[in-house]
């Protein structure tokens, strides 16, 4: 019996052993860690790198770098982890010192990578150094030493006491920093700083620098540009100087005339193409023609935008024009350059109000030598138009309504100046057939609707009065005796010495303005649509006129129309490749003091 029990126990033991061998207990695998290396070593810091190559079968509690000191190793837990490993940033190290380190991982037991070493850098004093040889009227260069040990460096700057809240120029690449767009002949206080690779900011000793005097620079839209002279300033005539410049960085070429409005030997005046409202003519041809008429024209530019789509109105200035005190076409409320009889310049938007008076009865004269409204009877059914000798020898072709021929009461030539009653007599009254003769030394009124009804009440030889009122939008109570007036795009591009109105398109430009004391006028042309000169925006053009001395300025017609003539020569490069025929121009004429 005992033998059988023994055999039974033996068989149970074998069965149990075989059962255990079918599902053996797994062993515990330790984690593996590798010491990668070190980077960003400075005199007081370094970044050590490690990597867990095998997480093992346990739970990792911690990992990082152990740094060795005199008492053994000190654990520094990881500060940054990525797929490629982890980092530990060591700080407050001793400069020029050898350090041993190794990676570690802890899952309850600490495991290590191989031991490696590095040496911190020698201590250094960071400095910011001004390059005095490169100080200009608008910029200064400051260099920093040992930037390879830095994360960032920069300079705060101010015209007053400088702090870390002031504007800053900084870099993390170039050791030299350029502070530009400074003001000429101005002292700036500088506060340089460096940021080490521990993101610690160290402020260096304060510095100061004074920019040089203004010379050959121009400020455009907050940026200072160097200006190269193409043609030196030269006196063309007493009271008139000319020069040209290039702004290569923009790039732009500019041609400028400065006129002394107080000089009795020079004057500015407008010029109508072919001396007719409906005509176009190249400005250089205007100069030649006027010279044959006895004018000593020494310079000229193009003038206003003009109507050109309908041949019947081609050349009519869009903003209105005065010439030698007479109204060529009425102001339309667009921005204009105005010169008074006593030589005082204005820039404003003149408002026109024409009145026809018969005894105690009055009606409105809506336009003077302007055809655009007359061509649309449905929009202007009661329009009254005054045709003067400036328009030409015949009226427009629009038929219908009534026409009245008038002559001066004193039988002399008409002079249609502003803000004065002009006494007239009725010469003829007839139904309008369309195109009509403007008799010599006469003018023609054309009315339709209620304006025609008013004209029909007139009688032959009856006396009537015409009043061509012009006021300034900004100062309607000011009445001036207008001598010359020219307009453009309806943009005052410079106002009180500040960039003002205009588009942001780069085009050839022509502009006119005057100085703060109103003693000088400026005519300027900018080339455009060419590789060496792309043109400029209206607002930028205003600031270029400011740099020339202007305080107020308007934009005249530009694009292919922009041209300047000096001493019979076209000095700029018109974008069309040739000089364009335009509606009117601006002339600078030499004269005797009478």
């Amino acid at each position: 019996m005992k033998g059988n029990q023994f055999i039974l126990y033996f068989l149970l033991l074998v069965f149990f052993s075989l059962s255990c061998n079918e599902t053996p207990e797994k062993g515990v695998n330790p984690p593996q860690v590798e010491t990668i290396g070190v980077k960003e070593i400075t005199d007081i810091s370094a970044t050590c790198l490690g990597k867990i190559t095998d997480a093992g079968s346990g739970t990792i509690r911690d990992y990082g770098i152990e740094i060795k000191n005199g008492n053994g190793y000190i654990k520094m837990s990881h500060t940054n982890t990525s797929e490629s490993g982890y980092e530990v940033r060591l700080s407050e190290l001793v400069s020029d010192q050898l350090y041993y380190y190794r990676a570690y991982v802890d899952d309850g037991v600490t495991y290590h990578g191989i031991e490696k070493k590095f040496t911190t850098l020698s201590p250094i004093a960071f400095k910011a150094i001004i390059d005095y040889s490169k100080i200009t009227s608008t910029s200064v260069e400051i260099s920093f030493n040992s930037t390879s040990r830095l994360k960032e460096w920069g300079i705060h700057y101010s015209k007053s006491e400088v702090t870390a809240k002031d504007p800053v120029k900084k870099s993390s690449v170039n050791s030299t920093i350029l502070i530009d767009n400074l003001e000429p002949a101005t002292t700036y206080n500088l506060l340089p700083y460096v940021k080490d690779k521990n993101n610690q900011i160290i402020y260096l000793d304060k510095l100061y620098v004074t920019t040089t005097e203004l010379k050959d620079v121009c400020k455009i839209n907050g940026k200072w540009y160097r200006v190269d002279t193409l043609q030196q300033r030269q006196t063309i005539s007493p009271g008139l100087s000319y020069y040209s410049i290039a702004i290569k960085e923009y790039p732009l070429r500019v041609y400028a005339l400065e006129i002394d409005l107080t000089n009795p030997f020079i004057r500015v005046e407008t010029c109508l193409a072919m001396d007719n409202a409906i005509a176009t003519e190249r400005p250089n041809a205007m100069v030649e023609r006027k010279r044959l008429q006895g004018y000593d024209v020494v310079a000229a530019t193009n003038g206003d935008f003009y109507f050109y789509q309908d041949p019947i109105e081609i050349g009519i200035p869009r903003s209105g024009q005065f010439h030698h005190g007479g109204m060529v076409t009425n102001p339309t409320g667009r921005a204009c350059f105005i010169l008074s009889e006593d030589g005082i310049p204005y820039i404003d938007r003149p408002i026109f109000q024409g009145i026809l008076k018969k005894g105690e009865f009055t009606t409105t004269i809506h336009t003077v030598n302007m055809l655009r409204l007359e061509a649309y009877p449905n929009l202007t059914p009661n329009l009254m138009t005054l045709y003067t000798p400036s328009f030409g020898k015949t009226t427009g072709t629009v038929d219908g309504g009534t026409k009245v021929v008038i002559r001066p009461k004193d039988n002399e030539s008409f002079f249609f100046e502003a803000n004065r009653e002009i006494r007239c007599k009725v010469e003829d009254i007839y139904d309008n057939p369309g195109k009509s003769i403007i008799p010599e030394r006469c003018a023609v009124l054309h009315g339709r609707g209620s304006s025609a009804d008013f004209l029909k009440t007139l009688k032959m030889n009856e006396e009537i009065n015409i009043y061509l009122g012009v006021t300034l939008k900004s100062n309607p109570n000011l009445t001036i005796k207008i001598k010359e007036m020219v307009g453009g795009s309806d943009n005052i591009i410079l106002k009180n010495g500040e960039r003002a109105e205009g588009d942001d398109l780069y085009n050839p430009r022509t502009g006119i303005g005057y100085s703060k004391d109103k003693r000088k006028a400026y005519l300027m042309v900018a080339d455009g649509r060419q590789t060496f000169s792309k043109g400029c925006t209206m607002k930028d053009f205003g600031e270029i006129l400011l740099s020339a001395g202007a305080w107020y300025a308007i934009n005249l017609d530009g694009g292919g129309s922009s041209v300047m003539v000096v001493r019979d020569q076209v000095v700029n490069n018109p974008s069309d490749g040739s000089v364009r025929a335009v509606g009117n121009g601006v002339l600078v004429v030499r004269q005797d003091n009478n």
Side-chain angles (χ1 to χ4, degrees):
M1 184 67 180
K2 290 184 179 179
N4 291 335
Q5 288 180 337
F6 176 79
I7 294 171
L8 179 60
Y9 290 146
F10 176 78
L11 291 175
L12 290 173
L13 179 62
V14 170
F15 177 78
F16 179 78
S17 298
L18 290 174
S19 299
C20 290
N21 287 337
E22 288 177 357
T23 56
E25 183 180 356
K26 294 183 179 179
V28 177
N29 297 323
Q32 301 293 320
V33 66
E34 179 182 354
T35 306
I36 302 297
V38 67
K39 66 177 184 177
E40 298 176 350
I41 302 174
T42 73
D43 56 333
I44 59 172
S45 65
T47 299
C48 296
L49 311 175
K51 183 178 182 181
I52 298 174
T53 58
D54 187 341
S57 59
T59 300
I60 294 177
R61 300 177 180 179
D62 187 22
Y63 57 94
I65 295 292
E66 291 183 345
I67 186 79
K68 191 175 186 179
N69 64 12
N71 298 319
Y73 279 97
I74 300 175
K75 287 184 176 181
M76 309 287 288
S77 186
H78 66 281
T79 54
N80 187 31
T81 304
S82 66
E83 292 183 359
S84 60
Y86 61 84
E87 298 180 358
V88 175
R89 185 66 180 168
L90 307 176
S91 59
E92 298 183 1
L93 303 179
V94 178
S95 61
D96 204 17
Q97 177 73 40
L98 176 64
Y99 285 91
Y100 292 89
Y101 69 100
R102 63 189 181 188
Y104 77 87
V105 61
D106 186 347
D107 67 349
V109 177
T110 301
Y111 301 91
H112 300 97
I114 63 172
E115 184 181 72
K116 294 188 176 183
K117 61 184 177 179
F118 68 88
T119 302
T120 52
L121 301 178
S122 300
I124 191 167
F126 293 103
K127 293 181 180 180
I129 303 170
I130 298 172
D131 189 340
Y132 287 95
S133 67
K134 294 184 178 180
I135 297 175
T136 72
S137 56
T138 61
S139 65
V140 61
E141 288 187 8
I142 296 100
S143 298
F144 288 78
N145 65 324
S146 304
T147 53
S148 62
R149 301 193 183 186
L150 299 173
K151 186 174 184 179
E152 179 186 290
W153 49 97
I155 308 110
H156 297 275
Y157 58 99
S158 172
K159 290 187 287 186
S160 56
E161 184 64 28
V162 63
T163 71
K165 295 181 180 180
D166 284 308
V168 63
K169 286 292 183 75
K170 57 187 176 181
S171 177
S172 58
V173 179
N174 296 318
S175 60
T176 298
I177 291 180
L178 175 69
I179 305 178
D180 55 3
N181 291 324
L182 302 178
E183 295 181 12
T186 303
T187 298
Y188 286 87
N189 295 303
L190 312 177
L191 177 59
Y193 74 90
V194 295
K195 181 189 289 186
D196 65 22
K197 295 182 179 180
N198 293 322
N199 289 321
Q200 180 182 356
I201 295 177
I202 303 170
Y203 290 99
L204 309 182
D205 292 339
K206 290 184 179 180
L207 306 170
Y208 73 90
V209 65
T210 301
T211 52
T212 60
E213 294 288 338
L214 178 64
K215 182 180 180 181
D216 299 331
V217 292
C218 179
K219 188 178 183 181
I220 305 174
N221 197 17
K223 180 178 179 179
W224 288 94
Y225 290 85
R226 177 176 174 177
V227 174
D228 295 317
T229 301
L230 294 178
Q231 293 171 289
Q232 295 285 348
R233 182 184 291 267
Q234 53 187 296
T235 300
I236 305 300
S237 175
L240 173 66
S241 62
Y242 161 76
Y243 64 93
S244 62
I245 60 173
I247 307 173
K248 293 181 180 179
E249 187 181 356
Y250 196 90
L252 193 68
R253 288 189 182 180
V254 177
Y255 311 83
L257 294 165
E258 181 181 281
I259 307 107
D260 184 354
L261 296 175
T262 67
N263 192 304
F265 297 100
I266 204 78
R267 72 174 186 265
V268 178
E269 64 178 63
T270 63
C271 179
L272 199 59
M274 305 301 296
D275 290 334
N276 283 292
I278 299 181
T280 59
E281 186 179 24
R282 297 186 307 275
N284 52 337
M286 294 180 192
V287 172
E288 295 172 5
R289 179 172 56 81
K290 284 297 182 181
R291 184 165 287 122
L292 292 175
Q293 296 176 3
Y295 287 71
D296 189 3
V297 183
V298 288
T301 69
N302 62 294
D304 195 359
F305 285 79
Y306 55 93
F307 293 111
Y308 62 89
Q309 293 181 347
D310 184 353
I312 198 63
E313 63 174 358
I314 188 168
I316 294 179
R318 298 190 65 171
S319 308
Q321 181 182 346
F322 274 76
H323 173 62
H324 286 186
M327 183 182 292
V328 177
T329 54
N330 63 273
T332 60
R334 292 159 66 96
C336 289
F337 174 89
I338 301 168
L339 199 60
S340 69
E341 193 68 38
D342 53 0
I344 304 301
Y346 300 86
I347 282 179
D348 213 309
R349 290 183 166 90
I351 307 300
F352 170 69
Q353 184 181 25
I355 299 173
L356 175 61
K357 185 176 181 181
K358 170 194 170 183
E360 297 180 354
F361 300 98
T362 62
T363 191
T364 299
I365 298 174
H366 299 95
T367 67
V368 178
N369 296 330
M370 285 278 192
L371 293 184
R372 180 52 59 98
L373 295 178
E374 192 175 58
Y376 299 95
N378 294 333
L379 297 178
T380 55
N382 301 307
L383 187 72
M384 176 82 78
T385 300
L386 171 63
Y387 289 98
T388 76
S390 294
F391 187 80
K393 295 182 179 181
T394 59
T395 69
T397 60
V398 176
D399 60 7
T402 300
K403 279 182 175 170
V404 172
V405 179
I406 56 176
R407 58 179 171 82
K409 183 181 178 183
D410 54 13
N411 289 322
E412 296 182 359
S413 298
F414 264 130
F415 186 62
F416 292 96
E417 63 181 302
N419 303 320
R420 180 182 71 88
E421 281 203 344
I422 304 166
R423 297 188 298 171
C424 316
K425 278 193 173 182
V426 176
E427 183 83 7
D428 195 8
I429 306 172
Y430 57 90
D431 292 335
N432 175 35
K435 186 176 182 179
S436 308
I437 297 294
I438 302 176
E440 188 175 353
R441 296 167 58 188
C442 291
V444 176
L445 288 163
H446 172 217
R448 58 184 177 224
S450 59
S451 294
D453 294 339
F454 187 93
L455 293 180
K456 289 176 182 178
T457 67
L458 302 180
K459 298 177 181 179
M460 295 291 294
N461 294 315
E462 185 174 14
E463 183 175 334
I464 59 175
N465 292 333
I466 288 176
Y467 183 82
L468 305 178
V470 179
T471 57
L472 303 184
K473 184 177 181 180
S474 69
N475 191 355
N477 295 323
L478 177 65
T479 300
I480 60 176
K481 194 171 184 180
I482 300 174
K483 184 178 182 181
E484 306 289 339
M485 187 189 83
V486 65
S489 64
D490 191 25
N491 296 105
I492 301 175
I493 57 177
L494 183 66
K495 185 183 295 184
N496 284 322
E498 299 287 341
R499 58 191 280 132
E501 306 166 4
D503 62 34
D504 294 319
L505 303 176
Y506 293 88
N507 283 310
R509 302 289 180 188
T510 303
I512 186 169
Y514 61 82
S515 60
K516 187 175 183 179
D517 60 8
K518 296 195 171 190
R519 296 173 64 88
K520 292 181 179 179
Y522 302 89
L523 279 165
M524 184 174 285
V525 167
D527 283 339
R529 302 172 184 168
Q530 299 170 83
T531 55
F532 58 83
S533 185
K534 69 178 181 180
C536 58
T537 70
M538 288 187 192
K539 293 178 182 179
D540 286 358
F541 194 40
E543 286 195 295
I544 298 170
L545 276 154
L546 174 66
S547 71
W551 196 248
Y552 271 84
I554 63 168
N555 182 66
L556 301 179
D557 188 12
S561 299
S562 287
V563 66
M564 179 177 286
V565 181
V566 177
R567 288 177 174 168
D568 301 325
Q569 298 295 318
V570 176
V571 294
N572 73 309
N573 299 275
S575 63
D576 285 354
S578 60
V579 179
R580 177 187 291 180
V582 295
N584 65 357
V586 181
L587 307 182
V588 185
V589 181
R590 182 162 44 197
Q591 62 182 9
D592 60 37
N593 59 1
N594 294 320

